[in-house]
């Protein structure tokens, strides 16, 4: 519903601009060939991940999926509201987003026809993705991935009408800087995040509508992005002078137990308004 309302409003605005531009006597050429630069402002949200879990490697042999009865209360895709699973988890955050971009388009035809192009973009998204494990203690263990910045190189292809309105699909390679962190209410064990900050790569695809107005163009864009984030692990081990020898995290390996989230990708939807200056 959120995507439908946002894109409907944006499409209506662009359609009104197209009608106004078509009726004006001084409308500039509708040809899209050339370089452009600009910016984007919009809204990002994450797909529901309530079925995500935490996997364990208790003997640290590199294979996750070891049974761990101490976590029988279960897991949730989100941040815990208390140490008890009965209170559940809060939803992962949505956020505003902004990007700068530069690109080039080529149009086949003078006033209307197919358009192909390439665009590079980079900016900020402010998203957090959490997964929580509940133990029988009771205690909570939260793994968090924070998207610090992201960008993409996308191809796009569509059709331009004589009104200067372009409808297109787009897709390409995506990049993000992800910070992985860990917190727990357990006070008798140590915790170490392995590979906390990473350059994550993935893919993005979507579509949009854009209206040319003189040297400028304005539009609305939807994309879905998935970044690979499966390298980071957390080791829960001994805390000097505190952790008892019977502690379950060191029962199979004195160095501790490794945690890893079950979802290998950081994924999100985005709807953005765009504006460009075309040379």
């Amino acid at each position: 519903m959120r995507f439908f309302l946002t894109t409907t409003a944006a499409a209506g605005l662009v359609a009104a601009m197209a009608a106004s531009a078509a009726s004006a006597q001084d409308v500039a050429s509708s040809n899209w060939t050339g370089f452009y630069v600009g910016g984007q402002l919009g809204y990002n949200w994450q797909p529901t991940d309530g079925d995500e879990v935490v996997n364990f490697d208790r003997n640290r042999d590199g294979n996750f999926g070891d049974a761990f009865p101490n976590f029988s209360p279960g897991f949730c895709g989100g941040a815990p509201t208390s140490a008890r699973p009965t209170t559940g988890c809060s939803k992962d955050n949505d956020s505003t987003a902004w990007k700068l971009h530069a690109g080039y388009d080529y149009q086949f035809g003078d006033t209307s026809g197919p358009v192909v192009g390439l665009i590079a973009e980079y900016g900020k998204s402010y998203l957090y993705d959490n997964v929580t494990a509940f133990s029988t203690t009771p205690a909570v263990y939260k793994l968090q991935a924070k998207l610090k910045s992201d960008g993409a190189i996308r191809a796009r292809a569509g059709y331009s009408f004589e009104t200067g309105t372009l409808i297109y699909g787009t897709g390409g390679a995506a990049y993000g800087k992800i910070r992985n962190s860990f917190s727990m209410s357990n006070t008798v064990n140590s915790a170490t995040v392995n590979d906390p900050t990473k350059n994550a790569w993935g893919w993005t695809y979507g579509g949009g509508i854009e209206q040319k107005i003189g040297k400028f163009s304005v539009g609305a864009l939807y994309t879905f992005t998935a970044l690979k984030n499966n390298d980071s692990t957390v080791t829960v081990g001994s805390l000097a002078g505190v952790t008892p020898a019977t502690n379950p995290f060191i029962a199979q390996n004195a160095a501790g137990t490794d945690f890893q989230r079950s979802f290998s990708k950081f994924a999100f939807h985005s709807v953005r308004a765009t504006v460009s200056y075309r040379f």
Side-chain angles (χ1 to χ4, degrees), residues 86-130:
T86 53
T87 64
C89 287
S90 60
K91 178 183 177 296
D92 287 332
N93 77 306
D94 301 335
S95 77
T96 56
W98 63 266
K99 284 185 172 64
L100 300 177
H101 64 248
Y104 180 83
D105 287 326
Y106 182 82
Q107 179 172 322
F108 298 89
D110 292 332
T111 59
S112 65
V115 176
V116 296
L118 190 67
I119 180 172
E121 60 192 11
Y122 192 78
K124 300 281 286 184
S125 293
Y126 310 102
L127 288 174
Y128 299 81
D129 184 17
N130 301 298

Side-chain angles (χ1 to χ4, degrees), residues 115 229 263:
V115 176
N229 185 37
F263 287 2

Side-chain angles (χ1 to χ4, degrees), residues 144-148 177-181 195-198 229:
Q144 181 183 90
K146 177 183 179 181
L147 184 63
K148 298 174 70 69
K177 177 76 75 172
I178 295 178
R179 172 75 178 180
N180 292 285
S181 60
D195 192 20
T197 301
K198 63 173 298 181
N229 185 37

Side-chain angles (χ1 to χ4, degrees), residues 228-270:
K228 187 177 180 182
N229 185 37
N230 63 345
D231 298 329
S232 181
T233 61
V234 177
T235 301
V236 177
S238 296
L239 194 60
V242 178
T243 307
T246 56
N247 188 276
F249 292 101
I250 58 174
Q252 295 189 18
N253 189 314
T257 294
D258 284 348
F259 288 40
Q260 186 180 61
R261 56 192 313 152
S262 62
F263 287 2
S264 63
K265 292 180 174 61
F266 190 116
F268 57 96
H269 303 272
S270 180

Side-chain angles (χ1 to χ4, degrees), residues 114-194:
V115 176
V116 296
L118 190 67
I119 180 172
E121 60 192 11
Y122 192 78
K124 300 281 286 184
S125 293
Y126 310 102
L127 288 174
Y128 299 81
D129 184 17
N130 301 298
V131 60
T132 298
F134 295 93
S135 72
T136 55
T137 310
V140 291
Y141 303 77
K142 184 185 75 174
L143 286 78
Q144 181 183 90
K146 177 183 179 181
L147 184 63
K148 298 174 70 69
S149 59
D150 69 292
I153 298 177
R154 299 185 279 109
R156 68 178 193 167
Y159 189 87
S160 172
F161 299 92
E162 291 186 357
T163 58
T165 305
L166 172 65
I167 298 176
Y168 64 92
T170 186
Y175 162 83
K177 177 76 75 172
I178 295 178
R179 172 75 178 180
N180 292 285
S181 60
F182 178 76
S183 60
M184 62 182 181
S185 59
N186 173 351
T187 59
V188 299
N189 285 93
S190 64
T192 303
V193 181
N194 309 303

